[in-house]
Amino acid sequence: MGVSFLYPEALWLGCVLPLVWGVALLAPAHIAAWRRWLSLVVRTIIVLALIGALAGAQLVQPPGITTTIFLLDGSDSVAASQRARAEAFIARALAVMPPDDRAGIIVFGREALVERFPAPERTFGAPVTRPFGSATNIADALQLGLTLLPAEGHRRLVLLSDGGENRGTARLIAQDAAAQGIPIDVAPLTGSADGLDAQIIGVTLPSTAREGQRLPLRIDLESNTSVAGRLMVTGPDRTTVATIPVEIGTDRQTVEILLPEAPAGFNRYTAYLEVPNDARTQNNAIETFSYVRGTPRVLLVAQAPDDAISLERALRAARIEVTVVSPASIPATFGELIRYDAIALINVPRALFSNETVQRIAAYVRDFGGGLLMVGGPQSFGPGGWRGTPVEAALPVTMDIPERQRQPPVSIVVVIDISGSMAATEDGIPKLSLALEGARRIAALLRDEDELTVIPFDDRPGVIVGPLPGSRRDVAIEQLNQVRLGGSGINIHDALRVAARYTRASERPVRHIITITDGNDTTQQEGALDIVRSLHDEGVTLTSVAIGQGDHVPFIRDMAAVGGGRTFLTERAADVPDLLTGETQTIMTPYIVEGSLTPQQAMPHPSLRGIDALPKLYGYVLTTPRETAQTTLVAPDGDVLLAGWQYGLGRSLAWTSDLSGRWAKEWVAWDAFPHFSVQLVTWLLPQQTGDTLTIATHAVGDALVVEAITRTPDGAPHIGLNVESRLIAADGATVETTLREVGPGQYRISLDNLPAGAYLVQIVARDGQGRAVAGATGGAAMPLSAEYRRQAGDRYLLEEIAHITGGRIDPQPHQVFEPGRAARGMAREIGLPLLWLALVLLPLDIALRRVFIRHASIAAALRHIGLRALARRLEPQEALDTGVASSLPSPPTTPPRTITVNRSPASPLVPSANELERLRAAQEAARRRLRGEDEE
């Protein structure tokens, strides 16, 4: 047992002790000697206790127990047999662990995890903790092991690994352990697989190529024993492009395959090695890429093939590669979409695309530099429901119609069938819920000056919503949420009579009724058409929607024919919301303008280069150009026919007429139409920005470094940009990061934990205002982790760790608990107890100098509690202890004299001055004796 101090410099405060002693001894004595000396001892102890507390005094016990932490390699490079051997070693060591010692276990791979905290537990089974095995991080394991070791006792680490480090730097942590006197014993494991291990070491393929070029693919192979196998390579469309037999030996060999001509765009290739009975298959596949630029590729998206046939023929004649698909077949990932240089949406409605696809098309233009062309028609632009979508944001026009074309306020009355047949579900959703969703969409589309009334009806009207102005659309939507299912079939005659009452009461100039009924449940038809006819004569139109085929569909169609509206027949109730949205937009905003017109050129544009006279058009869709758009062609009244603009890194065009025989029959038959179409699409093609932004990628260990170099048009480094990167894997997974500026115009990021494979890389550089100033597309190949490329571990590293720390190589199980060279005793801080000691002694010191208790008081207290014998023993000492008896004069032995004083009746008896002085002196002497001042 010893004493140590955390802050030994505080011991210099002991110099104040002589000062304390000098003051106590040289000061005048006012108390008894024994009190003064005892007080001095107490004060000395108080000062020493305070100095010890300030110095961080602690008691140090000699080291006794040993704490050992086992570091078990759980990475994929350690074969199952080797891991079982390591676990058996730990189990044997724990079985012979001394009684007072403790052991902990850490399992590590890519990261280190605690399997067991230090404890006297002697049993061990298979580890429960499973770290990611795709890397070996010995440094992380050593650091965590040092953290788990206690501050006292004998301490030791035992590393069980193949030494195949590919993350961290174990040597640095070993040096820290050596500085703390902690030895690291090493039990080397082998990195060889349990049996045959053939693998692909690496691949080499040109990262860029010209279209039509056949690329050489070089594949490096290796095996721990000679074996025959088969090597396969799949191409961009995941079809097999090469299959060859191979004979693999123990020496590295290279196989070269001449790939077929690659299509333009980003092409992934995957090499597979098939070998029977391969014990480790993780290293039998590898991805690479090549980026091929060549003939432009254009994707035409059309619902009806005839809508795209004219544009398709014109582009093919110009040797542009064209692919025509339906909306349902549009590429579902960025990786597939960016294989095309431009996309054309030809008279297709928004409802045929998922939300993800709409967002992907907008990002394709903004972030990837692709081109977008929207071609008009009855189901495009506003009539197609594209308003408020990301695609509208990418176009040079909005779906708003010019103010001069706006319709006057509209009153819409919706009659909804709430009979029992509307309870039928579709994909788990009742038909009534879908009909009400359509009504809610109508409410959301209302302008403030419009009006909405919703009449739920079966054999009688339900709770009617409205009439409410568009400014109270939120109230209308809330009330629609309260509509509930009714009973029998809908009495259409009574429903129309109620609807007529509301439409006639409305002051809006445009009035329209929409009926939503089941095709088999529309009863009470007699007289209903007369109501519709009368309303039509008053300027009220009617549209009918029938859900499902049935006997009443002809009557539902007749209602719309008499009412001057349209009939929508649908088998799916899920179509109703979109149908009602489109119908409402048609009523409120007359998007389509039809009639003969000759386009006029508003400003020059590359698409019109070499074109003078323009043929006639017979219709178009109303839109409003954006302020920064280039409006090229307009109708005679100024409406937009052709407009374009830059959106992010890409460009987009809006052609508001169609490209079919309906509105553009003279245009598509025009001799210059192929020339016009090619120039139109050519303007959309991605712009080459290689001079202003270049991409470089390379792997460093298990990290992928992505670098971008930016320049201004005059060649100077472009600094202060926000450079963002997007990496897209073969499965569509996306990794988005922001590059850091590491030098003038040089931006870089290092990506860890990236799965092996080939990645499409898209980089966008933006200025301080968020505007895209440059962009580039390239590729990156993340090689297979070194964890799977090794045939054996690194024994030299393990030996070096043991040598640095003074540990053993291949210790016996009982040796891992032997005391090390350096150990720390168990230290217990006593600063707080010393403070408490000083606080307890301080009142005692004060009592010794200031507090005096008479024996008579003690005797009285003893008598009070029944100890009378002890009280009598204290009573004879009363006079001596208090000093009162000795201070008074002895009693006289002779009778006192009688002093006669003559006084008059009017004069009091007054003692003489001498008598008073003697009395005061006697009292003062008694007080001093009581205080003990005369006991010396």
PDB file of all heavy atoms in Angstrom, residues 615-641:
ATOM      1  N   PRO A 615     -46.025  25.785 -93.348  1.00  0.00           N
ATOM      2  CA  PRO A 615     -47.386  25.329 -93.684  1.00  0.00           C
ATOM      3  C   PRO A 615     -48.378  25.686 -92.583  1.00  0.00           C
ATOM      4  O   PRO A 615     -48.012  26.115 -91.492  1.00  0.00           O
ATOM      5  CB  PRO A 615     -47.213  23.820 -93.821  1.00  0.00           C
ATOM      6  CG  PRO A 615     -46.020  23.493 -92.988  1.00  0.00           C
ATOM      7  CD  PRO A 615     -45.115  24.683 -93.049  1.00  0.00           C
ATOM      8  N   LYS A 616     -49.655  25.448 -92.860  1.00  0.00           N
ATOM      9  CA  LYS A 616     -50.713  25.789 -91.909  1.00  0.00           C
ATOM     10  C   LYS A 616     -50.864  24.708 -90.838  1.00  0.00           C
ATOM     11  O   LYS A 616     -50.512  23.547 -91.020  1.00  0.00           O
ATOM     12  CB  LYS A 616     -52.038  25.963 -92.645  1.00  0.00           C
ATOM     13  CG  LYS A 616     -52.103  27.205 -93.508  1.00  0.00           C
ATOM     14  CD  LYS A 616     -53.500  27.393 -94.068  1.00  0.00           C
ATOM     15  CE  LYS A 616     -53.581  28.698 -94.868  1.00  0.00           C
ATOM     16  NZ  LYS A 616     -54.951  28.941 -95.366  1.00  0.00           N
ATOM     17  N   LEU A 617     -51.412  25.156 -89.712  1.00  0.00           N
ATOM     18  CA  LEU A 617     -51.826  24.261 -88.643  1.00  0.00           C
ATOM     19  C   LEU A 617     -53.321  24.432 -88.425  1.00  0.00           C
ATOM     20  O   LEU A 617     -53.902  25.464 -88.787  1.00  0.00           O
ATOM     21  CB  LEU A 617     -51.060  24.572 -87.348  1.00  0.00           C
ATOM     22  CG  LEU A 617     -49.561  24.275 -87.342  1.00  0.00           C
ATOM     23  CD1 LEU A 617     -48.914  24.832 -86.064  1.00  0.00           C
ATOM     24  CD2 LEU A 617     -49.293  22.775 -87.450  1.00  0.00           C
ATOM     25  N   TYR A 618     -53.957  23.416 -87.767  1.00  0.00           N
ATOM     26  CA  TYR A 618     -55.398  23.464 -87.579  1.00  0.00           C
ATOM     27  C   TYR A 618     -55.807  23.309 -86.112  1.00  0.00           C
ATOM     28  O   TYR A 618     -56.962  23.001 -85.820  1.00  0.00           O
ATOM     29  CB  TYR A 618     -56.060  22.371 -88.430  1.00  0.00           C
ATOM     30  CG  TYR A 618     -55.894  22.643 -89.912  1.00  0.00           C
ATOM     31  CD1 TYR A 618     -54.810  22.127 -90.591  1.00  0.00           C
ATOM     32  CD2 TYR A 618     -56.811  23.442 -90.595  1.00  0.00           C
ATOM     33  CE1 TYR A 618     -54.632  22.384 -91.941  1.00  0.00           C
ATOM     34  CE2 TYR A 618     -56.647  23.699 -91.954  1.00  0.00           C
ATOM     35  CZ  TYR A 618     -55.555  23.175 -92.615  1.00  0.00           C
ATOM     36  OH  TYR A 618     -55.395  23.452 -93.952  1.00  0.00           O
ATOM     37  N   GLY A 619     -54.855  23.590 -85.222  1.00  0.00           N
ATOM     38  CA  GLY A 619     -55.195  23.532 -83.813  1.00  0.00           C
ATOM     39  C   GLY A 619     -53.949  23.484 -82.946  1.00  0.00           C
ATOM     40  O   GLY A 619     -52.853  23.155 -83.407  1.00  0.00           O
ATOM     41  N   TYR A 620     -54.129  23.830 -81.685  1.00  0.00           N
ATOM     42  CA  TYR A 620     -53.020  23.787 -80.727  1.00  0.00           C
ATOM     43  C   TYR A 620     -53.589  23.867 -79.314  1.00  0.00           C
ATOM     44  O   TYR A 620     -54.801  24.097 -79.122  1.00  0.00           O
ATOM     45  CB  TYR A 620     -52.031  24.932 -80.973  1.00  0.00           C
ATOM     46  CG  TYR A 620     -52.620  26.321 -80.877  1.00  0.00           C
ATOM     47  CD1 TYR A 620     -52.619  27.033 -79.679  1.00  0.00           C
ATOM     48  CD2 TYR A 620     -53.199  26.921 -82.000  1.00  0.00           C
ATOM     49  CE1 TYR A 620     -53.162  28.303 -79.601  1.00  0.00           C
ATOM     50  CE2 TYR A 620     -53.747  28.187 -81.934  1.00  0.00           C
ATOM     51  CZ  TYR A 620     -53.727  28.875 -80.732  1.00  0.00           C
ATOM     52  OH  TYR A 620     -54.277  30.135 -80.651  1.00  0.00           O
ATOM     53  N   VAL A 621     -52.724  23.680 -78.332  1.00  0.00           N
ATOM     54  CA  VAL A 621     -53.093  23.735 -76.915  1.00  0.00           C
ATOM     55  C   VAL A 621     -52.589  25.058 -76.341  1.00  0.00           C
ATOM     56  O   VAL A 621     -51.433  25.439 -76.552  1.00  0.00           O
ATOM     57  CB  VAL A 621     -52.494  22.555 -76.127  1.00  0.00           C
ATOM     58  CG1 VAL A 621     -52.919  22.616 -74.668  1.00  0.00           C
ATOM     59  CG2 VAL A 621     -52.918  21.233 -76.739  1.00  0.00           C
ATOM     60  N   LEU A 622     -53.464  25.747 -75.627  1.00  0.00           N
ATOM     61  CA  LEU A 622     -53.077  27.024 -75.028  1.00  0.00           C
ATOM     62  C   LEU A 622     -52.091  26.822 -73.883  1.00  0.00           C
ATOM     63  O   LEU A 622     -52.280  25.966 -73.006  1.00  0.00           O
ATOM     64  CB  LEU A 622     -54.312  27.753 -74.495  1.00  0.00           C
ATOM     65  CG  LEU A 622     -55.200  28.443 -75.531  1.00  0.00           C
ATOM     66  CD1 LEU A 622     -56.480  28.938 -74.875  1.00  0.00           C
ATOM     67  CD2 LEU A 622     -54.455  29.597 -76.191  1.00  0.00           C
ATOM     68  N   THR A 623     -51.030  27.607 -73.873  1.00  0.00           N
ATOM     69  CA  THR A 623     -50.051  27.630 -72.791  1.00  0.00           C
ATOM     70  C   THR A 623     -49.582  29.073 -72.616  1.00  0.00           C
ATOM     71  O   THR A 623     -49.915  29.953 -73.404  1.00  0.00           O
ATOM     72  CB  THR A 623     -48.828  26.740 -73.096  1.00  0.00           C
ATOM     73  OG1 THR A 623     -48.208  27.203 -74.297  1.00  0.00           O
ATOM     74  CG2 THR A 623     -49.213  25.280 -73.237  1.00  0.00           C
ATOM     75  N   THR A 624     -48.801  29.301 -71.581  1.00  0.00           N
ATOM     76  CA  THR A 624     -48.226  30.626 -71.331  1.00  0.00           C
ATOM     77  C   THR A 624     -46.712  30.487 -71.272  1.00  0.00           C
ATOM     78  O   THR A 624     -46.203  29.688 -70.482  1.00  0.00           O
ATOM     79  CB  THR A 624     -48.741  31.207 -70.006  1.00  0.00           C
ATOM     80  OG1 THR A 624     -50.169  31.366 -70.095  1.00  0.00           O
ATOM     81  CG2 THR A 624     -48.105  32.555 -69.718  1.00  0.00           C
ATOM     82  N   PRO A 625     -45.961  31.241 -72.089  1.00  0.00           N
ATOM     83  CA  PRO A 625     -44.500  31.101 -72.070  1.00  0.00           C
ATOM     84  C   PRO A 625     -43.902  31.698 -70.800  1.00  0.00           C
ATOM     85  O   PRO A 625     -44.427  32.652 -70.232  1.00  0.00           O
ATOM     86  CB  PRO A 625     -44.062  31.894 -73.308  1.00  0.00           C
ATOM     87  CG  PRO A 625     -45.137  32.907 -73.501  1.00  0.00           C
ATOM     88  CD  PRO A 625     -46.414  32.248 -73.068  1.00  0.00           C
ATOM     89  N   ARG A 626     -42.804  31.121 -70.351  1.00  0.00           N
ATOM     90  CA  ARG A 626     -42.072  31.667 -69.215  1.00  0.00           C
ATOM     91  C   ARG A 626     -41.275  32.890 -69.664  1.00  0.00           C
ATOM     92  O   ARG A 626     -40.985  33.064 -70.851  1.00  0.00           O
ATOM     93  CB  ARG A 626     -41.143  30.605 -68.622  1.00  0.00           C
ATOM     94  CG  ARG A 626     -41.877  29.365 -68.139  1.00  0.00           C
ATOM     95  CD  ARG A 626     -40.917  28.397 -67.472  1.00  0.00           C
ATOM     96  NE  ARG A 626     -41.557  27.137 -67.163  1.00  0.00           N
ATOM     97  CZ  ARG A 626     -42.241  26.887 -66.040  1.00  0.00           C
ATOM     98  NH1 ARG A 626     -42.376  27.845 -65.132  1.00  0.00           N
ATOM     99  NH2 ARG A 626     -42.795  25.716 -65.829  1.00  0.00           N
ATOM    100  N   GLU A 627     -40.926  33.722 -68.682  1.00  0.00           N
ATOM    101  CA  GLU A 627     -40.259  34.975 -69.007  1.00  0.00           C
ATOM    102  C   GLU A 627     -38.925  34.755 -69.701  1.00  0.00           C
ATOM    103  O   GLU A 627     -38.545  35.534 -70.576  1.00  0.00           O
ATOM    104  CB  GLU A 627     -40.059  35.790 -67.730  1.00  0.00           C
ATOM    105  CG  GLU A 627     -41.357  36.314 -67.120  1.00  0.00           C
ATOM    106  CD  GLU A 627     -41.094  37.185 -65.910  1.00  0.00           C
ATOM    107  OE1 GLU A 627     -39.908  37.395 -65.585  1.00  0.00           O
ATOM    108  OE2 GLU A 627     -42.070  37.663 -65.309  1.00  0.00           O
ATOM    109  N   THR A 628     -38.196  33.716 -69.321  1.00  0.00           N
ATOM    110  CA  THR A 628     -36.869  33.500 -69.893  1.00  0.00           C
ATOM    111  C   THR A 628     -36.875  32.526 -71.063  1.00  0.00           C
ATOM    112  O   THR A 628     -35.814  32.165 -71.574  1.00  0.00           O
ATOM    113  CB  THR A 628     -35.921  32.962 -68.814  1.00  0.00           C
ATOM    114  OG1 THR A 628     -36.470  31.755 -68.256  1.00  0.00           O
ATOM    115  CG2 THR A 628     -35.725  33.987 -67.708  1.00  0.00           C
ATOM    116  N   ALA A 629     -38.061  32.107 -71.512  1.00  0.00           N
ATOM    117  CA  ALA A 629     -38.150  31.166 -72.628  1.00  0.00           C
ATOM    118  C   ALA A 629     -37.928  31.879 -73.961  1.00  0.00           C
ATOM    119  O   ALA A 629     -38.165  33.078 -74.097  1.00  0.00           O
ATOM    120  CB  ALA A 629     -39.503  30.466 -72.619  1.00  0.00           C
ATOM    121  N   GLN A 630     -37.454  31.119 -74.948  1.00  0.00           N
ATOM    122  CA  GLN A 630     -37.309  31.630 -76.310  1.00  0.00           C
ATOM    123  C   GLN A 630     -38.544  31.209 -77.107  1.00  0.00           C
ATOM    124  O   GLN A 630     -38.672  30.057 -77.499  1.00  0.00           O
ATOM    125  CB  GLN A 630     -36.054  31.057 -76.962  1.00  0.00           C
ATOM    126  CG  GLN A 630     -34.777  31.295 -76.194  1.00  0.00           C
ATOM    127  CD  GLN A 630     -33.597  30.579 -76.820  1.00  0.00           C
ATOM    128  OE1 GLN A 630     -33.513  30.424 -78.039  1.00  0.00           O
ATOM    129  NE2 GLN A 630     -32.678  30.126 -75.981  1.00  0.00           N
ATOM    130  N   THR A 631     -39.442  32.141 -77.312  1.00  0.00           N
ATOM    131  CA  THR A 631     -40.663  31.850 -78.063  1.00  0.00           C
ATOM    132  C   THR A 631     -40.356  32.020 -79.545  1.00  0.00           C
ATOM    133  O   THR A 631     -40.125  33.139 -80.023  1.00  0.00           O
ATOM    134  CB  THR A 631     -41.797  32.778 -77.634  1.00  0.00           C
ATOM    135  OG1 THR A 631     -42.016  32.633 -76.223  1.00  0.00           O
ATOM    136  CG2 THR A 631     -43.073  32.439 -78.384  1.00  0.00           C
ATOM    137  N   THR A 632     -40.381  30.914 -80.286  1.00  0.00           N
ATOM    138  CA  THR A 632     -39.933  30.918 -81.684  1.00  0.00           C
ATOM    139  C   THR A 632     -41.086  31.071 -82.658  1.00  0.00           C
ATOM    140  O   THR A 632     -41.049  31.905 -83.560  1.00  0.00           O
ATOM    141  CB  THR A 632     -39.170  29.615 -81.982  1.00  0.00           C
ATOM    142  OG1 THR A 632     -38.073  29.512 -81.075  1.00  0.00           O
ATOM    143  CG2 THR A 632     -38.651  29.605 -83.400  1.00  0.00           C
ATOM    144  N   LEU A 633     -42.137  30.269 -82.483  1.00  0.00           N
ATOM    145  CA  LEU A 633     -43.304  30.333 -83.363  1.00  0.00           C
ATOM    146  C   LEU A 633     -44.537  30.672 -82.537  1.00  0.00           C
ATOM    147  O   LEU A 633     -44.711  30.151 -81.428  1.00  0.00           O
ATOM    148  CB  LEU A 633     -43.516  28.994 -84.079  1.00  0.00           C
ATOM    149  CG  LEU A 633     -42.451  28.561 -85.097  1.00  0.00           C
ATOM    150  CD1 LEU A 633     -42.803  27.208 -85.687  1.00  0.00           C
ATOM    151  CD2 LEU A 633     -42.304  29.601 -86.211  1.00  0.00           C
ATOM    152  N   VAL A 634     -45.395  31.525 -83.109  1.00  0.00           N
ATOM    153  CA  VAL A 634     -46.626  31.918 -82.432  1.00  0.00           C
ATOM    154  C   VAL A 634     -47.780  31.870 -83.415  1.00  0.00           C
ATOM    155  O   VAL A 634     -47.584  31.918 -84.644  1.00  0.00           O
ATOM    156  CB  VAL A 634     -46.506  33.330 -81.823  1.00  0.00           C
ATOM    157  CG1 VAL A 634     -45.446  33.364 -80.731  1.00  0.00           C
ATOM    158  CG2 VAL A 634     -46.207  34.363 -82.895  1.00  0.00           C
ATOM    159  N   ALA A 635     -48.998  31.787 -82.863  1.00  0.00           N
ATOM    160  CA  ALA A 635     -50.206  31.897 -83.668  1.00  0.00           C
ATOM    161  C   ALA A 635     -50.452  33.370 -83.997  1.00  0.00           C
ATOM    162  O   ALA A 635     -49.843  34.258 -83.392  1.00  0.00           O
ATOM    163  CB  ALA A 635     -51.378  31.295 -82.890  1.00  0.00           C
ATOM    164  N   PRO A 636     -51.338  33.655 -84.937  1.00  0.00           N
ATOM    165  CA  PRO A 636     -51.582  35.064 -85.292  1.00  0.00           C
ATOM    166  C   PRO A 636     -51.985  35.932 -84.106  1.00  0.00           C
ATOM    167  O   PRO A 636     -51.687  37.134 -84.098  1.00  0.00           O
ATOM    168  CB  PRO A 636     -52.698  34.960 -86.330  1.00  0.00           C
ATOM    169  CG  PRO A 636     -52.495  33.622 -86.967  1.00  0.00           C
ATOM    170  CD  PRO A 636     -52.029  32.740 -85.863  1.00  0.00           C
ATOM    171  N   ASP A 637     -52.667  35.371 -83.106  1.00  0.00           N
ATOM    172  CA  ASP A 637     -53.065  36.173 -81.945  1.00  0.00           C
ATOM    173  C   ASP A 637     -52.011  36.154 -80.836  1.00  0.00           C
ATOM    174  O   ASP A 637     -52.274  36.632 -79.733  1.00  0.00           O
ATOM    175  CB  ASP A 637     -54.406  35.702 -81.396  1.00  0.00           C
ATOM    176  CG  ASP A 637     -54.398  34.220 -81.038  1.00  0.00           C
ATOM    177  OD1 ASP A 637     -53.330  33.577 -81.174  1.00  0.00           O
ATOM    178  OD2 ASP A 637     -55.448  33.704 -80.610  1.00  0.00           O
ATOM    179  N   GLY A 638     -50.828  35.595 -81.115  1.00  0.00           N
ATOM    180  CA  GLY A 638     -49.726  35.630 -80.154  1.00  0.00           C
ATOM    181  C   GLY A 638     -49.579  34.409 -79.278  1.00  0.00           C
ATOM    182  O   GLY A 638     -48.638  34.340 -78.471  1.00  0.00           O
ATOM    183  N   ASP A 639     -50.478  33.437 -79.393  1.00  0.00           N
ATOM    184  CA  ASP A 639     -50.335  32.232 -78.573  1.00  0.00           C
ATOM    185  C   ASP A 639     -49.113  31.426 -79.000  1.00  0.00           C
ATOM    186  O   ASP A 639     -48.739  31.397 -80.175  1.00  0.00           O
ATOM    187  CB  ASP A 639     -51.587  31.359 -78.699  1.00  0.00           C
ATOM    188  CG  ASP A 639     -52.802  32.002 -78.059  1.00  0.00           C
ATOM    189  OD1 ASP A 639     -52.604  32.813 -77.139  1.00  0.00           O
ATOM    190  OD2 ASP A 639     -53.937  31.704 -78.488  1.00  0.00           O
ATOM    191  N   VAL A 640     -48.499  30.722 -78.017  1.00  0.00           N
ATOM    192  CA  VAL A 640     -47.255  29.999 -78.262  1.00  0.00           C
ATOM    193  C   VAL A 640     -47.512  28.736 -79.085  1.00  0.00           C
ATOM    194  O   VAL A 640     -48.420  27.956 -78.786  1.00  0.00           O
ATOM    195  CB  VAL A 640     -46.593  29.605 -76.922  1.00  0.00           C
ATOM    196  CG1 VAL A 640     -45.315  28.817 -77.177  1.00  0.00           C
ATOM    197  CG2 VAL A 640     -46.299  30.825 -76.098  1.00  0.00           C
ATOM    198  N   LEU A 641     -46.676  28.547 -80.115  1.00  0.00           N
ATOM    199  CA  LEU A 641     -46.662  27.296 -80.857  1.00  0.00           C
ATOM    200  C   LEU A 641     -45.368  26.516 -80.617  1.00  0.00           C
ATOM    201  O   LEU A 641     -45.391  25.296 -80.499  1.00  0.00           O
ATOM    202  CB  LEU A 641     -46.827  27.570 -82.360  1.00  0.00           C
ATOM    203  CG  LEU A 641     -48.169  28.160 -82.789  1.00  0.00           C
ATOM    204  CD1 LEU A 641     -48.170  28.452 -84.277  1.00  0.00           C
ATOM    205  CD2 LEU A 641     -49.318  27.227 -82.423  1.00  0.00           C
TER     206      LEU A 641
END
